[in-house]
Every structure is written in C-alpha cells, then in structure tokens.
Amino acid sequence: MGHPWYASTWRRAVLDMHISDEDERFLAAFDPNEYADLLVKARTKSAVVSAMGHVGLALFPSKVLPPHRGLKGRDIFGETVAACHARGIGVSAYMSVIFDAWAYRHNPDWKIVGPDGTPVAEKSRYGVCCPNSPYRAYAASFARELCEGYQFEGIRFDMTFWPHVCFCAHCRARFAREVGGEIPARVDWSDPRWRSFQQKREEWLAEFAGLLTSTALAAKPALSVEHQASTYPLNWKFGVGARLVPHNTFLQGDFYGDALQGSIARKLFSHMSPNLPAAFETCIAMQLQNYTALKPTELLRAKAHAALADCTAFVYIDSVDPEGTLNPRVYERMGEVFAETSAYEPFLGGTRVEDAAIYFSLDSKFDPADNGKPVDDPGLSNRMPHMDAVSAAARTLLEHHVPFGIVTRRNLAELSRWRLLVVPGALVMDEEEAQALREYVRVGGALFASGNGCLAGHGFPLEDVLGVSWRGVTKERFTYMRPAEKGRALFGDFTTLHPLGLYGAQVVAETAEGAEVLATITLPYTDPDDPLHFASTHNNPPGIRTDHPALVVNRYGAGKAMWAAGPIETTDASLDVLYNLFALLAGPFTLDAEAPKAVEITVFRQADRARYLLSLVNFQKELPNIPVEGIAVRLRTGGRRVTRVAHLPSETKIAFTFEGGIASFVAPRLETFAMIAVDCG
Ligand SMILES: [Zn+2]
C-alpha cells in the first residue's frame, strides 16, 4: 500500500455483518480466507471489515462487548484482517456507533428517548443509544480495545448521527446546564432557543465523534478515521454539520439515489473532505433491504465510472448471509466492472476545473413550513427547500456541461477561485458567510442568489451587494416572474403575458438606485390557497402585475450580483432560464459540449503533466445506455496551446483544431465512459 493507504486505493469493499445470534448457526460458516479470495477476484484493494455491527455483538473475543454466540470463541475479525493483509488488501475496521441494539436493550439509561419520555426503539430492531449517556464511554472503550488489539490501516465509525431528537435525562440535563431551561418541544427556526438546541445537537455529536477519533488515534497515530458521511446532505434531524468534518481523515458515505444525487454527493465531498480522495459507497444489491437482488452490471458500471470521473474512490457494499456464506456473483460482477475502471487509474489526479461553485448552507437544512409543529409530529415535512434548490442548480450546470463544484462554509476563505458563485435558496446566513460573500463580489466575483436568506428580513443583510431591500413576502405561494424589457432574451418561451410560474412565494423588495430589474412579480388573480375563489379551475393564471422586482442585477465593487426574489429553481421549465442567468453573469464557460443531458463531463487540470483530463459519463435513466456518437467538445485552455488530444487509456490520437484559445474535437463513440487527455505543450 502507498502512503497514505487511501491516496491511491480507488476500489474498495464493505461487508455488512449486522447478524444477530438468535440462532447459533449464524456466522458459524464464515470463512475469512474464502472472503479474502473473493475480494481478490473482485480486484478490491481495501475492505471495511466488521468488528461489530448494529446488533452490538463483537466479532472477536472482546472484553467490552458480548461476543457473537455463533462464533463460539472464534476471532473472525482478526482472521479476516490477516487474510486481507496476506493478499495485499488494506483493512478499515468497522464499528457501528449509536446504533447498538445490545447496549440499548441492556442499559435503560442509555436509550434515546422521545419528547414524551418514551424510549424510541422499543419495537425496532435498531436499538439506538444516546451519545450524551454513559454509552459514550462504552463505545470509546470498544474503539480502544479494537485499535490496541489489532493492526489495520483505517477505522470506520458508522452511524455517527442522531437518528431521533433525544429528550433523555442526559440530554435534558446538559441542555439545562449549557443553555438553560427545558429542551423546546416544538420545531421553530425563528426561535433562538430552538436554534441553540440544534447547535448543541451538532456540537454534542461532533464532540462524541471527536472522542472516538482521538481514542483511535491515541492507539494508532497513523490510522485513517472516518465517520459515516452520507448524512451531510440530509436534513437537520441528523444533527450533522460542519463541526463533524474535522474528526475525519476523509469523507466516505453511502448513497442509493440517481446519477444526479451521486454527482452532487461527490462534489460536496471533494471540497469538504479533509483529505482526498473522498469515497462514494453504494450497495451491490438493488436495495439494502433486498440483498439477493443485485444491481445489473450496467448500473454498477455507470456508478463506478461516475465516481472515477469525480476522482473519487468507489466502494461496494455486500451483505453476508446469516450463516456466514457469501454470494460469489457479487464479486464476479464487481471484478468485471473494476477490470474496466482500473485501466484509467494511472491517469487520475489534478485539480478539478470549476467555473461555478454552488454554496450549500449546512445551517439551512430545514423547512420553515415546519415552524410550530411538535418535534415528533408525523406531519413534519422533513423537506429541505434549500437542498432542492442546490440540486436544481447542480442539474442545470451538469446538463449544460458547465464544470462546477459544491462548496460550504469551509471554503469561505477561498471563494475568489470561482468565477460564479450560486447561493440557491439559502435560508439563513451568518455574519461570517455574509462578509465572505460581500468580499467575493467586491473583488470581482459574480454572485447569483435566490430567496430571502441573504436579506435583512433574516438578520444578516447582503442588501447592499444585491441592490435590494427587504419589505416582506407575498402571501401567494404560487407566483410568477414576468420578464422586463431588459430581461426578455433570458426567459425563452416566457413573456409578459405568459410569465414564468414559481412554486413558492416571492420576497417583496425595493430596488436600490443603479440596480437593474430584469423581471418583476406577477401574482395570480386570486390567492391559490383560497379554495372557493379562483380564475381557472386547474391552475392559477397570472393576473396582477406588480412593480416589485423578481430578478435584479447589481454592480458592487468590481463584481456583480444577481438576485431572484423567489425559488426559480423549483420547476424543470425554469432550468434553461437559470442557465441563461448563469451564462449572463459568468459565461462563456471553460467547456461547451453538444451532448445529451444524460452525459456529464468533468474536467481536471493536471499542471504537472501539462494537460487537461476530461471524463465523459453516459448515465441514462434506463440502462443499458444507448451509445452517443459525435459529441462535439470545445475546451478553453486559458491561452495554453494544445499539442495533442488523445483517447485514454489507449492514447489513440483524436483530430482537433486549436483556434482563439479553444481546442475543438469530436469525442469518440460514448457507451458509458470515455477519458480524454488534452495536452498543452
Ligand atoms: Zn439523549
């Protein structure tokens, strides 16, 4: 293994072993050598090996946790580590935290408790323990025993998040001590006490993660440590925010959604992860809940190559059979896919070219519509309008082949790297964020923002930058954006008479002098929430034209800012408009490609090898992919003279022209993946 081990380990495995010992046959047939042989067959370079799972039983003779009865004293963890190492496969030890059913059943005082005082998992197979309870020391003791007892390269703490909002005695006492009073029982993002509670939940979780990380590192200073990272894009309930990140060596998380979700997760990780590469994980089964139904090869191929295009390691999760046997087909299938991806590994590396950055506000992971509802109200929406807007902005950039990244508050000091900064529908913004955004525009950046999170109505104004001041919000929750004369070309099919409809209210604002209004608000004839008064039964036609600005562009310092008064990201129909706005602010972009929307293209600059590396991923909704022929690509090289364009890994030359600083060529036929080197002298 290289140093550090993860730097060049692109093919990784996880074996889920969340097996009970209700039946003594369980896990009895597990053969570590057979498993390690299968890993070799699958061309896997590292494996996450379970030391204990969600059931809370140790897979070696532990003095801290009860051992799994099916093992009858065997040490299958140690045997598996040895079997992997004997075959040159690196090992991360796996440990489930918070999710520990044995600890939950046997320690009433450790249980996560709901607002009504009832433990939350009495009728669930997932027993969950509160990290503010003495469970914390129990988990740390096990981590210490594991790290002191065995040799391995990394440790994975899974499930480092709050599965519920906890009201246990330990949490309540801690809240009373640190904030004062009772934990608020209602969600209310306008209430400072509620916001303090959420901040505490994030702090407490990060502190727990920090304890585990420091315990592991005390035993093994060179160890890589990671805590399950799939929760960063999830809602506030998980209590996962920026504070958790420093307790990781790199970020790795499992995702089960579509091509766009994966692309967003990898881009989020690539700027948030303390070290690279980050890792993208998914199960080899169609669903975690139905593990005998495997993903077809073409789906695994698309996912594994998409990870490669983002310079991210790919991790497949298999699930052991209760008796300990394994399905060899899993490893055959993965081996076939990894044989293909491995050919590209020598070419990976460099810095991702990003014309645009989307700002993901880790503090905006909530729905203001939930304000006032009890914490355990089944009617909580659990939606994240901000995340929806981030996804739509990402989709817009991806489908128009604009190279982009996703940033968070961890990147505030380096915003000037990006020509375009998109802040879609952030709900809150603190002074540090507002100041960084202001400075970004002042020195020449192009900012796009939507919604009211950047305005005085939310306490941390960017109004001087955006050229508007907050007056209120429309009562109507379906509204229109009506192109003004100056903005007409941006709106495609949408006109004064047939303006762009938005699924949401818009901010009523006043425009500052010098700001340019590109669209104004039109309201429906009647309030869409009024059931009995309407203009048209099926819809809410535009009826009341106002002078309130809906889209404003403003010069500030050496840069410019554009602000949309409402959620312009909410409809598929508005995404082409959104792209026009981005292009107006910061075009032309580094890359133009005449490719279908299902094709994502990433660009990395490899200065040490004097080239750009382009990866084209064809990831259609219905697989297998229909191949795409004749994708015309134009790459702006910033004045660097292009000397060769080649199809990798064969290095077959591709005909190109280089004029006016732009290299133009046609990509080879694209089935699932193509990697192209553009050499610059
Ligand atoms: Zn608690």
Side-chain angles (χ1 to χ4, degrees), residues 152-328:
F152 42 77
E153 290 70 46
I155 189 162
R156 173 174 182 73
F157 294 108
D158 196 11
M159 316 304 268
T160 314
F161 58 83
W162 290 102
H164 301 267
V165 181
C166 187
F167 288 77
C168 78
H170 306 287
C171 284
R172 289 171 53 204
R174 212 173 162 185
F175 185 81
R177 202 162 61 238
E178 296 176 17
V179 180
E182 285 293 319
I183 293 175
R186 284 179 188 273
V187 176
D188 186 353
W189 300 97
S190 64
D191 172 6
R193 285 180 58 76
W194 172 259
R195 290 205 307 271
S196 302
F197 176 48
Q198 176 63 10
Q199 192 178 324
K200 285 293 169 193
R201 296 178 74 235
E202 292 185 15
E203 272 177 37
W204 295 338
L205 186 75
E207 182 193 274
F208 173 64
L211 170 68
L212 295 172
T213 296
S214 59
T215 302
L217 291 178
K220 280 187 168 34
L223 201 65
S224 70
V225 181
E226 36 120 5
H227 293 267
Q228 170 62 272
S230 61
T231 44
Y232 290 97
L234 302 183
N235 75 31
W236 65 270
K237 278 192 181 170
F238 294 85
V240 170
R243 293 173 184 86
L244 188 60
V245 176
H247 304 297
N248 294 268
T249 308
F250 57 83
L251 298 186
Q252 170 169 327
D254 51 329
F255 295 90
Y256 303 96
D258 62 5
L260 178 66
Q261 187 210 46
S263 179
I264 289 172
R266 289 186 295 270
K267 287 170 184 67
L268 177 65
F269 284 0
S270 62
H271 283 302
M272 197 154 62
S273 184
N275 293 285
L276 293 176
F280 175 83
E281 199 176 337
T282 195
C283 61
I284 192 146
M286 288 302 284
Q287 291 157 338
L288 216 47
Q289 297 79 4
N290 184 7
Y291 84 107
T292 60
L294 305 187
K295 286 190 170 85
T297 307
E298 53 265 27
L299 180 56
L300 288 170
R301 177 181 289 126
K303 285 186 182 279
H305 284 88
L308 205 61
D310 279 319
C311 216
T312 304
F314 184 79
V315 192
Y316 64 98
I317 309 169
D318 186 24
S319 198
V320 74
D321 297 323
E323 294 189 28
T325 48
L326 293 159
N327 181 356

Side-chain angles (χ1 to χ4, degrees), residues 60 83 114 181 207 233 258 278 297 390 432 530 540 546 575 597 617 633:
F60 62 88
E207 182 193 274
D258 62 5
T297 307
V390 165
E432 189 193 359
D530 179 344
N540 296 287
T546 77
L575 299 189
K597 289 178 173 176
V617 186
V633 177

Side-chain angles (χ1 to χ4, degrees), residues 60 75 77 143-152 219-220:
F60 62 88
D75 177 358
F77 174 74
R144 186 176 307 113
E145 179 185 43
L146 182 61
C147 293
E148 286 175 354
Y150 295 91
Q151 283 308 318
F152 42 77
K220 280 187 168 34

Side-chain angles (χ1 to χ4, degrees), residues 5 12-17 35 39 44 46-51 77 80 84 89-95 154-157 226 252 281 315-316:
W5 73 267
R12 308 183 192 175
V14 171
L15 184 62
D16 269 353
M17 295 182 105
Y35 174 56
L39 290 174
T44 311
S46 80
V48 173
V49 175
S50 189
F77 174 74
T80 308
C84 287
I89 295 168
V91 172
S92 280
Y94 174 97
M95 169 179 173
I155 189 162
R156 173 174 182 73
F157 294 108
E226 36 120 5
Q252 170 169 327
E281 199 176 337
V315 192
Y316 64 98

Side-chain angles (χ1 to χ4, degrees), residues 346-566:
F347 304 100
L348 294 175
T351 307
R352 191 197 294 267
V353 173
E354 296 170 356
D355 291 338
I358 300 172
Y359 190 78
F360 179 43
S361 159
L362 290 161
D363 303 314
S364 294
K365 301 196 289 180
F366 62 88
D367 185 354
D370 284 337
N371 281 357
K373 294 178 188 166
V375 169
D376 55 349
D377 186 341
L380 282 179
S381 89
N382 294 325
R383 281 188 58 235
M384 291 184 288
H386 170 54
M387 188 66 212
D388 294 346
V390 165
S391 296
R395 191 177 143 200
T396 302
L397 293 166
L398 191 154
E399 290 183 349
H400 289 88
H401 313 293
V402 179
F404 74 102
I406 297 180
V407 297
T408 62
R409 62 184 316 131
R410 289 175 59 81
N411 307 101
L412 289 177
E414 48 169 355
L415 293 180
S416 58
R417 278 176 59 183
W418 292 278
R419 279 158 58 189
L420 172 65
L421 183 64
V422 179
V423 185
L427 296 169
V428 289
M429 185 162 287
D430 65 22
E431 203 123 43
E432 189 193 359
E433 289 172 305
Q435 204 42 49
L437 263 56
R438 176 177 288 107
E439 185 58 15
Y440 166 76
V441 181
R442 196 187 65 78
V443 301
L447 171 70
F448 174 88
S450 57
N452 60 5
C454 317
L455 302 182
H458 282 243
F460 296 101
L462 275 181
E463 296 185 333
D464 51 339
V465 178
L466 300 173
V468 290
S469 43
W470 190 89
R471 289 291 176 269
V473 178
T474 65
K475 157 170 109 264
E476 295 80 359
R477 292 188 292 177
F478 185 86
T479 56
Y480 291 91
M481 204 174 250
R482 180 175 87 247
E485 190 55 38
K486 281 179 185 161
R488 203 191 299 178
L490 302 166
F491 278 82
D493 286 347
F494 301 104
T495 61
T496 304
L497 197 58
H498 295 104
L500 170 65
L502 306 185
Y503 290 91
Q506 292 188 61
V507 175
V508 175
E510 208 158 283
T511 315
E513 199 165 321
E516 213 174 322
V517 176
L518 301 180
T520 45
I521 298 176
T522 290
L523 298 171
Y525 283 95
T526 59
D527 183 348
D529 288 331
D530 179 344
L532 295 179
H533 296 93
F534 58 89
S536 173
T537 305
H538 288 320
N539 45 45
N540 296 287
I544 304 166
R545 293 181 190 175
T546 77
D547 291 331
H548 305 312
L551 186 67
V552 176
V553 65
N554 188 48
R555 297 207 156 270
Y556 179 83
K560 54 190 164 179
M562 185 183 279
W563 174 74

